[in-house]
Amino acid sequence: ALLANARLVTFLGGLGLIIATGFHKLPAWGYGAGIGLIIAFSILASIHSRVIAQERRTQVRNSLNERGLKRLDGAWRQFSSTGEKYLSADHLYAPDLDLFGPASLFQKLDETGTQAGEERLAQWILNPSVSAAELKERQGAVAQLKEQGDFRQELIAETRVASSEKADPAKFLAWVEGPNGLAGTEWAFWLAHIFPPITFVVCSLAYEDIVPSIWGWACAGVQALVVALTAKPLGKMYDQLTLAESGFVRFAPTFRAIAQARFTHAGLKKLQAGIAEGT
């Protein structure tokens, strides 16, 4: 709250000094003082954003601990994630053993941070049959992770900070591996860089009656036409980039936490290797 108030004061103060100096209410030093306060505002904004991020992480960790206590107390039946969508009446035993739905095994276990993780957990519950070697490897991994409570909590916390809802990176990956959505719009790239300064110059000349005003309108019309012809593919590209930001890019701290963890179990080191190579 102190940082927020300080940001407001420095911004309004800097803006006020610059405006007052511009209207000759203050000497020229008012510009310097105003710019100094605006710089102070930028510094405070940067500090404030870090404090907000730390506050968010603290809240998430607090929530994780509260969920852990609810599991111990039997109050986990209040958790919202029940996995009911994975329940199939045709499954051999899922309906009888309360694997999904209210008061289910999935509801008690689910701490996944992504849609892919949730689906993997559901598949493990529905199809638990694995070879003895794979079962032994999983048990070894669990034995090591059991002793790394801080890492497990950091991993879950980072996924919660990255997205309040379980993101689905699959949509982003499908876009990356799909066709070029901007194919056929390459011609607009140079026009977008060339015509704005040309339009500015032509409009300035028209304002001074050096060239006919119709020339300025013509340049503006060309830019409007470029916007109209590229609006649809660019809008689609923006939507896909939004998916990338929410479903993939925000998880960089999660990947970093995995890459920096120390494992001795071969299976965990193998899972870690691909991430570590890309960080």
Side-chain angles (χ1 to χ4, degrees):
L2 290 173
L3 285 168
N5 292 333
R7 286 177 58 183
L8 179 62
V9 170
T10 53
F11 178 78
L12 293 179
L15 187 63
L17 285 173
I18 292 173
I19 292 174
T21 307
F23 281 96
H24 306 292
K25 301 295 183 181
L26 290 173
W29 58 260
Y31 284 122
I35 293 173
L37 286 177
I38 296 297
I39 294 173
F41 164 78
S42 302
I43 295 173
L44 288 171
S46 176
I47 297 172
H48 195 199
S49 65
R50 290 197 294 269
V51 171
I52 291 173
Q54 184 58 41
E55 180 187 30
R56 171 63 177 154
R57 284 178 170 81
T58 303
Q59 290 171 343
V60 168
R61 287 177 179 271
N62 184 58
S63 175
L64 290 175
N65 288 320
E66 288 177 348
R67 287 172 64 87
L69 291 174
K70 286 181 178 180
R71 286 191 179 88
L72 294 175
D73 296 338
W76 51 269
R77 294 171 180 83
Q78 303 171 6
F79 295 168
S80 59
S81 178
T82 64
E84 203 159 0
K85 62 184 178 182
Y86 301 109
L87 183 60
S88 173
D90 299 329
H91 194 271
L92 182 61
Y93 54 80
D96 299 324
L97 297 182
D98 292 329
L99 298 184
F100 301 98
S104 65
L105 177 63
F106 184 90
Q107 186 179 24
K108 185 175 184 179
L109 292 178
D110 184 30
E111 283 291 1
T112 56
T114 64
Q115 187 63 37
E118 180 184 292
E119 292 172 358
R120 175 63 62 89
L121 174 61
Q123 290 305 313
W124 280 4
I125 293 175
L126 288 170
N127 305 290
S129 298
V130 295
S131 65
E134 186 176 352
L135 182 61
K136 186 175 181 180
E137 181 177 341
R138 286 187 189 178
Q139 289 175 338
V142 169
Q144 181 167 36
L145 289 172
K146 182 180 68 174
E147 305 300 327
Q148 296 182 318
D150 289 341
F151 164 71
R152 297 199 317 272
Q153 195 169 75
E154 180 183 9
L155 191 63
I156 299 172
E158 289 297 346
T159 60
R160 296 287 192 276
V161 170
S163 178
S164 58
E165 298 180 358
K166 293 182 181 179
D168 187 4
K171 296 179 181 179
F172 170 64
L173 295 176
W175 168 67
V176 170
E177 297 170 355
N180 180 8
L182 294 181
T185 61
E186 293 86 353
W187 56 270
F189 178 82
W190 293 109
L191 290 178
H193 288 76
I194 293 173
F195 257 89
I198 291 177
T199 303
F200 176 78
V201 172
V202 171
C203 288
S204 298
L205 294 174
Y207 181 78
E208 297 294 334
D209 293 325
I210 299 175
V211 299
S213 61
I214 190 65
W215 288 18
W217 288 108
C219 290
V222 170
Q223 292 192 81
L225 182 62
V226 171
V227 171
L229 294 175
T230 59
K232 187 173 181 179
L234 288 175
K236 186 175 181 181
M237 174 67 72
Y238 175 80
D239 292 340
Q240 297 293 348
L241 289 175
T242 302
L243 286 176
E245 204 272 337
S246 62
F248 196 79
V249 176
R250 291 185 191 176
F251 286 88
T254 305
F255 300 145
R256 190 178 304 114
I258 298 173
Q260 294 175 350
R262 296 183 179 276
F263 299 128
T264 57
H265 184 268
L268 292 175
K269 291 175 72 174
K270 182 179 179 181
L271 291 172
Q272 183 187 43
I275 295 176
E277 290 173 1
T279 54

